[in-house]
């Protein structure tokens, strides 16, 4: 690459302006919420497709609504470097979670296109339609579909209004009978790289603009249903009650206590619903979620076993029943060492804030589409410093324009390293025939 890197501020300002434009596509008039297949979600997909086209990519929308841009290689038979992240959000979330990992690679491809430069690998940028799964409890739906690993049973899941996913797809112009067609030929993949806001305070506290992810914590999500006996709040004596909510409350605390054991282990109950909840009725049925994660699977599995055994014994003591369904499971995933090193070299090559000239490597506690892609190819992740104390899944989530620009410069530098077929990449290995 002969032309010097474009200015960090210029790149960063454009990325943030586009993130602001996407943030206007929200399901809610009062906060940032963009869930799978809503009108706001579809409007965001259209903007992303337009920006991909403007960057010189050919664009397709796959069978589950992901938008995928392709920038061809200088050699028709070349493998593909896939980059991307998701454009759905949690409810009342932040505008950069996921979106940054779409906008930064689009900015990089736009730059290559402006130079008239092609690489020895094709570049695809995937804007995954559903990663958070906030509407249908379907985490990683889009990346699973891309690998042909989406269980068609998810089509029967319903949102809070009772709309089935199958019907939501039809309304959005997608054919639920054809979800298998989202699957790509994974033998053509060379690697997957995801840029993501850190969603924590490490880079911010230590003064690094960027970081290299070493591994991604695995996790499970469960739905627990507690059934007791509903009754009159004024007449049933306290010792005779089988209050499903009081039992669930004790279970929530038991999960919290077991998951507070330290290290990377974390446990969260983020949803709790009292069926037919009424102020003067003893709760008869309660449903709640449990999300448990750790950097290694053994730690998480031990915590799950203990926490759910504690829930069972609480149910027994209180004379209520407990039913548990696991709705989500991903193993902990290591990032490929050669990609970690290549990303570190890319960070070293640009002049971004980096105390003691070190490149910060850190694990991710949050889940990412990279976890699913890791089932098919080697993955790497670049973290971008999160402002406002490192808060995410929260409207206060923020990223500095200079840091977003630095991420684009680092990614462009990574692409230049790959173009030299260096860094132990899939291209270097292909050249050696290994
Ligand atoms: C995705 O945001 C996750 O739940 O980690
Ligand atoms: Mn998220
Ligand atoms: Mn995310």
């Amino acid at each position: 690459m002969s032309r010097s890197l474009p200015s960090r501020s210029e790149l960063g300002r454009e990325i943030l302006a586009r993130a602001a434009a996407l943030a206007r596509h929200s399901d809610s008039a009062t906060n940032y919420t963009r869930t799978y297949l809503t009108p706001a979600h579809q409007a965001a997909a259209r903007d992303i497709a337009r920006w991909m086209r403007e960057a010189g990519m050919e664009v397709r929308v796959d069978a589950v609504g992901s938008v995928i841009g392709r920038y061809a290689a200088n050699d028709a038979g070349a493998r593909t470097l896939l980059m991307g992240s998701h454009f759905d959000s949690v409810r009342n979330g932040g505008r950069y979670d996921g979106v940054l990992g779409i906008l930064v690679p689009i900015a990089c491809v736009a730059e290559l296109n402006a130079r008239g430069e092609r690489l020895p690998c094709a570049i695809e940028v995937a804007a995954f339609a559903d990663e958070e799964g906030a509407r249908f409890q379907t985490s990683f739906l889009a990346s699973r579909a891309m690998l042909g690993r989406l269980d068609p049973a998810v089509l029967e899941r319903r949102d809070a209004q009772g709309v089935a996913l199958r019907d939501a797809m039809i309304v959005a112009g997608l054919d639920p009978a054809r979800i298998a067609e989202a699957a790509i030929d994974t033998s053509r993949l060379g690697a997957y790289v995801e840029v993501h806001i850190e969603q924590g305070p490490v880079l911010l506290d230590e003064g690094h603009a960027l970081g290299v992810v070493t591994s991604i914590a695995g996790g499970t999500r469960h739905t627990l249903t507690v059934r007791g006996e509903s009754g009159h709040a004024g007449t049933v004596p306290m010792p005779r009650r089988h209050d499903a909510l009081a039992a669930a409350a004790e279970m929530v605390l038991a999960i919290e206590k077991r998951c507070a054991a330290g290290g990377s282990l974390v446990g969260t109950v983020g949803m709790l619903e009292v069926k037919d909840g009424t102020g003067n009725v003893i709760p008869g049925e309660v449903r709640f979620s449990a999300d448990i994660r750790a950097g290694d699977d053994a730690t998480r599995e031990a915590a799950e076993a203990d926490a759910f055994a504690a829930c069972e014994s609480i149910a027994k003591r209180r004379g209520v029943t407990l039913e548990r369904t696991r709705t989500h499971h991903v193993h902990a995933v290591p990032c490929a060492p050669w990609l970690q090193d290549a990303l570190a070299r890319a960070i070293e090559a640009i002049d971004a804030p980096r105390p003691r000239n070190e490149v910060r490597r850190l694990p991710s506690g949050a889940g990412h589409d990279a976890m699913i892609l890791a089932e098919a190819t080697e993955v790497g992740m670049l973290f971008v410093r999160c402002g406002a104390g490192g808060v995410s899944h929260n409207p206060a989530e923020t990223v500095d324009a200079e840091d977003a620009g630095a991420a684009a410069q680092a990614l462009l530098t990574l692409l230049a390293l790959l173009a030299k077929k260096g860094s132990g990449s899939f291209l270097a290995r292909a050249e050696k025939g290994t």
Side-chain angles (χ1 to χ4, degrees), residues 212-251:
V212 176
V213 178
T214 52
S215 62
I216 312 170
T220 52
R221 226 161 282 157
H222 310 255
T223 299
L224 294 95
T225 307
V226 182
R227 291 190 182 88
E229 190 177 22
S230 58
H232 198 295
T235 61
V236 183
M238 294 306 280
R240 302 223 344 215
R241 295 184 178 204
H242 301 286
D243 182 327
L245 180 55
E250 227 186 292
M251 293 174 195

Side-chain angles (χ1 to χ4, degrees), residues 223-229 241-245 247-248 251 283-288 308 311-324:
T223 299
L224 294 95
T225 307
V226 182
R227 291 190 182 88
E229 190 177 22
R241 295 184 178 204
H242 301 286
D243 182 327
L245 180 55
M251 293 174 195
E285 184 175 321
V286 169
R287 227 154 48 111
F288 65 97
F308 296 136
C311 292
E312 291 290 351
S313 73
I314 291 163
K316 201 162 166 206
R317 175 165 44 79
R318 286 179 164 271
V320 299
T321 64
L322 176 64
E323 192 182 296
R324 178 170 61 87

Side-chain angles (χ1 to χ4, degrees), residues 139-151 328-330 372 375:
S139 308
F140 302 117
L141 175 146
S143 43
R144 284 193 212 280
M146 179 178 268
L147 296 198
R149 296 184 192 174
L150 183 63
D151 180 355
H328 167 76
H329 178 206
V330 271
I372 303 303
E375 294 171 20

Side-chain angles (χ1 to χ4, degrees), residues 86 90 97 131-132 196 199 393:
H86 58 98
V90 295
D97 176 0
E131 185 264 3
E132 306 282 7
H196 207 284
Q199 307 185 272
H393 283 189

